[in-house]
Amino acid sequence: MSAAAKLPGHEKYARLFQPLDLGFTTLKNRAIMGSMHTGLEELPDGFERMAAYFAERAAGGVGMIITGGIAPNEEGGVVVKDPEGNPVFSASKLTNQREVEGHKLVTQAVHEASPDTKICMQILHMGPIAYNDGLVAPSPIRSRISKYMPNELDKAGIQKQIDDHAHCAKLAQEAGYDGVEIIGSAGYLLSTFLVEKTNQRTDEYGGSYENRMRFPLEVVRACREAVGDEFIIVFRIAAMDMLQGGMSWEEVAQLSRELEKAGTSIISTHFTWHESAVPTIATMVPRAAFTSVTGRVRNEVSIPVITSNRINAPEVAEDVLERGEADLVSMARPMLADSQFMNKAANDAADEINTCIACNQACLDHTFGGKTTSCLVNPRACHETLLSYQPTSAPKSIAVIGAGPAGMAYATVAAERGHKVSLFDAASEIGGQFNLAKLVPGKEEFYETLRYYTKMIDKLGIELHLNAFVDVDMLGDFDHIVVATGISPRTPDLEGIDDEKVVSYIDVLKGNKKVGKKVAIMGAGGIGFDVADFISHDGPSGALDIDVFAKEWGIDFENHPRGGVTGIEPEVASADRDIYLMQRKETAVGKGLGKTTGWTHRLTLSRRGVKMMNGIEYLRIDERGLHILRDNKPDLLEVDTIIVCAGQKPLRTLYDAAKEKGLPVELVGGAYEAAELDAKAAINQASYLAAEI
Ligand code: FAD
Ligand code: NAP
Ligand code: SF4
């Protein structure tokens, strides 16, 4: 880095911006954009969209990018005959020259956007969790999370997998990548050779640990031979796999040393298998929770080591590097949330970073739901060619009423494009319902979104009016009016609903009403779950205290028993309350929660003794409690508090009045559609509309 290029953040985050010499090439800084499968890989125009997506991140200053997983196995023509490790039928793979040409679009775009940013392609063989019935594994043992029984690889099959990996690495090199990452964690093929419970072989690839390491090491050696010395090979290990009976610390350490000898350039540490029952990236996980484990791997080898998981701010990355726990820091989702993360850090403008809140709602939940990835706080992520914020040629004066997620997103996008925006809210602070969400233990990251918008409102010169309840008479002077007034909570039509023991979720979260020892929660949607968490929780938030988190989920970071979890019972600190969480639907309670995080909420509440009930009919409320019909039988819940979390209705009074007056008005967010509206939908809708005005 030349002296002329020194920026204030380069000193503040001196370790993060220190180059790393790999001998044959240099990484310009210590930030890696970690691998994420985005769904772009499988789209007809996927290479073009990936080119735009990665190029924007390269221009944003990250040192090295790792792509989503690309399969190494060949298809037999149009019909997939031999999909083996591919994630899905016709999943993205790199096995032939035609595909090399597609990948060149990506590598060229990245290197044009930033010649000193490196890009590595991840080789992903899903092994026993591939979504197809041609899947293969060391032994015919079905994964807890797969519906298919894998076919056991014979020796020729193992050799074919080694050859396929090497061929794929060679093609990646031809396509212009600076390296490959081989994934040897998460329950994918290579990792299942390492662990005894998934490798029951009796030949030289099973049995002793030396034998179980043989296949992954042969893959690395074959790849190294195929690509020569001057090509990056990252190998991703499960440094703590979070499996009962998983890898011991000694096995992790030995594998790391052997990988170095086999020709690995960089070891990347991962902390889970998909089937493990410990959250490792959800918002309830403390920041940088796992980096101490990487630190121990680093002591075992002389090649650089990457750490990851819940590192979402430059100061967190800098601290990890300062503690000597890693050479490089991988931030995957934070680069979705803000492509300019590293440039902002370099300019000492970290308060302008749109921080990843680890909600998984638009990234992993989409990926696992078969949808293209995006980001709750940044709808442009993976949609760079579809959503762009171009300067307007006809600036308007715009009033945005309501500074919740929809209003804040609309106001900032419109102002960024050159419109003159006035933003009003009746409350004394911006944020709308995010001011309630941030109070829920484990959701502290929501403060970051409010910090980001506060900064952007100021930076973009938006005229902010707080404590300003707007009525229609105040709106005559604007060219355009955007009503983002949100919702009003639904009150069920039920005998006794006015009883004094009935309270709203708003009063409970704000601490305006006391909650008794026996509580019924009517409604088990996102808010019902959050409220159940709030009132069943005792002590400090696990998201802010790593010891609390470790106890809650039964992890031993210090002694690292097998998998980090073997033999440890989670210790749950719960409030002294009897809680019923209820819904009328017959479906399982919590079924509508996030695909990748819902299980953590269900497990947490059931460990705290919250009773979840479905198929309930509410009959009436009286001095004795809540009368219900359950399995067609009348029942009485003798509770002293009933919290209503029964969904929401759009608040459109202002919109209706403006419309009646013939004003140029549009609706966004919860005020437009309250049913099933969350912050992801609110910000997304508002951003698209503001991009067009
Ligand atoms: P709101 O956030 O409701 O904002 C509307 C704003 O308009 C308010 O600030 C209000 O004061 C203002 N206003 C109304 N009328 C007027 C007027 N006449 N004049 C001036 N101002 C006015 N969503 C997720 O996606 N993920 C989550 O994890 C999540 N967790 C949640 C947890 C809780 C406890 C709650 C309550 C909600 C949660 N949500 C979550 C839902 C999410 O917060 C909402 O979907 C989102 O806030 C809707 O945004 P909005 O801008 O449409 O409305
Ligand atoms: P919701 O998720 O739609 O849940 C509403 C609940 O109320 C349901 O359990 C519903 O179940 C019940 N209900 C509906 N009408 C009722 C009635 N008339 N009487 C009694 N019960 C009734 O809405 P929400 O919990 O209010 O959340 C609002 C939005 O915020 C949602 O979009 C939600 O996704 C989002 N949010 C997300 C998260 C998150 O972590 N991702 C957290 C909080 C909120 P039955 O109809 O079966 O009784
Ligand atoms: Fe982070 Fe949520 Fe965006 Fe995913 S959707 S990148 S978890 S903020």
Side-chain angles (χ1 to χ4, degrees):
M1 196 183 308
S2 71
K6 270 225 176 274
L7 294 165
H10 292 164
E11 271 175 40
K12 185 165 183 179
Y13 310 112
R15 289 170 184 81
L16 183 58
F17 282 101
Q18 193 181 16
L20 179 68
D21 185 359
L22 295 177
F24 57 93
T25 190
T26 299
L27 306 186
K28 67 175 169 179
N29 59 45
R30 305 303 178 101
I32 311 286
M33 176 177 169
S35 174
M36 287 173 285
H37 202 83
T38 59
L40 293 176
E41 297 84 355
E42 280 82 38
L43 294 180
D45 58 351
F47 284 118
E48 288 78 6
R49 285 181 63 176
M50 275 193 285
Y53 157 67
F54 284 126
E56 194 164 310
R57 270 86 198 155
V62 68
M64 182 162 85
I65 291 170
I66 301 189
T67 68
I70 304 291
N73 295 140
E74 181 58 272
E75 299 177 347
V78 182
V79 180
V80 180
K81 286 189 188 139
D82 184 18
E84 297 164 270
N86 294 2
V88 285
F89 285 112
S90 78
S92 185
K93 63 186 184 63
L94 178 55
T95 59
N96 61 44
Q97 214 54 44
R98 183 177 52 79
E99 289 155 354
V100 166
E101 296 311 310
H103 282 273
K104 276 185 185 166
L105 290 182
V106 174
T107 56
Q108 281 164 1
V110 164
H111 291 138
E112 267 166 34
S114 170
D116 56 1
T117 297
K118 311 293 174 202
I119 179 162
C120 298
M121 190 195 82
Q122 187 186 75
I123 305 178
L124 167 67
H125 191 305
M126 290 188 73
I129 49 176
Y131 310 140
N132 64 65
D133 54 11
L135 75 178
V136 295
S139 302
I141 296 169
R142 194 166 67 83
S143 162
R144 186 171 76 75
I145 55 169
S146 172
K147 58 179 181 178
Y148 301 116
M149 173 65 85
N151 303 303
E152 179 172 330
L153 283 164
D154 58 15
K155 284 224 194 110
I158 288 180
Q159 189 55 51
K160 176 181 181 300
Q161 298 305 334
I162 295 169
D163 295 344
D164 281 0
H165 276 80
H167 183 232
C168 186
K170 181 74 191 153
L171 293 179
Q173 191 175 36
E174 280 175 41
Y177 287 105
D178 301 287
V180 288
E181 175 176 271
I182 301 167
I183 184 146
S185 59
Y188 298 133
L189 183 68
L190 276 68
S191 58
T192 53
F193 271 82
L194 294 164
V195 176
E196 212 167 349
K197 70 177 188 171
T198 46
N199 181 350
Q200 300 278 308
R201 302 177 71 92
T202 52
D203 62 6
E204 66 266 38
Y205 291 98
S208 69
Y209 191 53
E210 275 68 22
N211 281 356
R212 283 183 275 133
M213 281 191 298
R214 192 180 308 278
F215 172 65
L217 294 174
E218 285 181 354
V219 167
V220 173
R221 283 189 212 105
C223 288
R224 177 55 75 206
E225 202 181 313
V227 297
D229 290 340
E230 306 211 334
F231 192 65
I232 301 168
I233 295 183
V234 182
F235 190 97
R236 197 153 200 215
I237 62 167
M240 220 182 194
D241 57 33
M242 305 291 159
L243 295 176
Q244 293 288 334
M247 283 170 78
S248 69
W249 164 248
E250 290 70 27
E251 288 173 349
V252 171
Q254 195 181 344
L255 175 67
S256 307
R257 293 190 298 266
E258 294 300 327
L259 284 168
E260 177 170 5
K261 286 187 221 155
T264 302
S265 325
I266 300 173
I267 290 176
S268 177
T269 50
H270 202 191
F271 300 99
T272 195
W273 275 32
H274 291 305
E275 64 183 78
S276 99
V278 176
T280 52
I281 58 168
T283 194
M284 62 175 55
V285 178
R287 290 176 172 189
F290 294 90
T291 55
S292 63
V293 182
T294 311
R296 285 200 272 142
V297 172
R298 189 169 182 246
N299 291 337
E300 297 292 327
V301 293
S302 54
I303 51 177
V305 178
I306 306 176
T307 196
S308 67
N309 287 46
R310 291 287 285 116
I311 299 168
N312 63 349
E315 64 274 16
V316 180
E318 182 71 11
D319 287 349
V320 168
L321 295 168
E322 189 177 352
R323 290 197 296 272
E325 292 174 335
D327 301 280
L328 296 153
V329 173
S330 170
M331 292 173 278
R333 296 171 300 166
M335 300 291 168
L336 284 181
D338 197 330
S339 63
Q340 302 304 302
F341 183 104
M342 287 299 284
N343 284 349
K344 289 178 182 176
N347 287 305
D348 196 13
D351 57 348
E352 292 178 21
I353 291 176
N354 198 358
T355 303
C356 165
I357 59 174
C359 63
N360 284 0
Q361 285 178 239
C363 52
L364 280 173
D365 285 351
H366 278 209
T367 310
F368 286 96
K371 293 194 225 159
T372 305
T373 289
S374 185
C375 170
L376 180 144
V377 300
N378 174 24
R380 289 197 65 246
C382 299
H383 293 72
E384 289 73 13
T385 56
L386 307 178
L387 176 62
S388 67
Y389 305 146
Q390 297 299 325
T392 177
S393 53
K396 288 186 162 69
S397 75
I398 302 177
V400 179
I401 300 97
M408 296 186 296
Y410 195 108
T412 48
V413 172
E416 183 185 328
R417 295 187 50 229
H419 293 294
K420 182 174 173 343
V421 180
S422 302
L423 176 61
F424 299 86
D425 203 293
S428 59
E429 56 188 346
I430 62 161
Q433 293 175 64
F434 262 31
N435 290 308
L436 296 174
K438 74 187 184 191
L439 302 174
V440 177
K443 283 192 151 174
E444 292 81 0
E445 291 288 359
F446 282 61
Y447 280 97
E448 295 295 344
T449 305
L450 301 174
R451 182 264 309 144
Y452 167 75
Y453 278 118
T454 302
K455 177 70 192 177
M456 296 320 283
I457 287 167
D458 180 46
K459 184 173 174 185
L460 294 166
I462 294 169
E463 232 178 67
L464 178 64
H465 305 268
L466 293 174
N467 301 306
F469 183 89
V470 173
D471 68 34
V472 72
D473 298 331
M474 299 159 70
L475 295 173
D477 293 339
F478 294 95
D479 299 331
H480 190 69
I481 299 156
V482 179
V483 172
T485 47
I487 53 88
S488 57
R490 177 183 292 118
T491 306
D493 184 11
L494 184 67
E495 185 185 330
I497 196 76
D498 295 327
D499 192 285
E500 61 178 15
K501 66 172 90 53
V502 180
V503 295
S504 80
Y505 64 85
I506 299 174
D507 281 334
V508 170
L509 291 170
K510 284 186 169 170
N512 295 339
K513 290 273 167 73
K514 273 192 75 166
V515 177
K517 293 277 184 199
K518 293 188 171 203
V519 187
I521 301 174
M522 288 175 69
I527 293 179
F529 263 81
D530 274 355
V531 166
D533 195 315
F534 185 81
I535 63 169
S536 64
H537 176 91
D538 189 34
S541 167
L544 301 179
D545 186 323
I546 195 165
D547 294 330
V548 172
F549 171 74
K551 275 196 186 138
E552 274 175 354
W553 291 97
I555 308 164
D556 182 349
F557 290 104
E558 298 272 305
N559 296 315
H560 201 148
R562 283 197 174 273
V565 293
T566 303
I568 310 170
E569 274 300 311
E571 280 176 42
V572 182
S574 48
D576 176 23
R577 281 202 173 103
D578 286 338
I579 302 169
Y580 301 92
L581 177 59
M582 293 173 292
Q583 68 182 29
R584 299 169 305 172
K585 285 186 284 296
E586 293 286 351
T587 50
V589 175
K591 195 167 189 294
L593 297 177
K595 240 181 157 39
T596 60
T597 52
W599 65 272
T600 61
H601 299 296
R602 288 188 293 269
L603 193 54
T604 300
L605 293 189
S606 63
R607 281 179 180 160
R608 290 186 193 157
V610 173
K611 294 169 210 59
M612 297 178 217
M613 290 156 55
N614 54 355
I616 297 300
E617 189 181 327
Y618 306 113
L619 297 176
R620 66 181 185 283
I621 295 163
D622 62 21
E623 67 291 346
R624 294 163 64 204
L626 176 61
H627 295 260
I628 57 171
L629 208 56
R630 187 181 179 191
D631 298 331
N632 283 326
K633 289 188 205 109
D635 197 356
L636 168 66
L637 303 179
E638 291 179 42
V639 292
D640 47 32
T641 310
I642 296 168
I643 307 174
V644 179
C645 302
Q648 307 177 326
K649 293 182 301 184
L651 187 57
R652 291 192 189 142
T653 327
L654 181 64
Y655 174 78
D656 292 341
K659 202 79 193 149
E660 202 175 306
K661 252 186 141 181
L663 298 176
V665 61
E666 70 180 328
L667 269 175
V668 293
Y672 174 79
E673 173 63 75
E676 298 191 6
L677 181 117
D678 56 12
K680 178 182 78 172
I683 293 175
N684 189 67
Q685 184 206 20
S687 303
Y688 274 90
L689 289 174
E692 279 166 18
I693 178 87

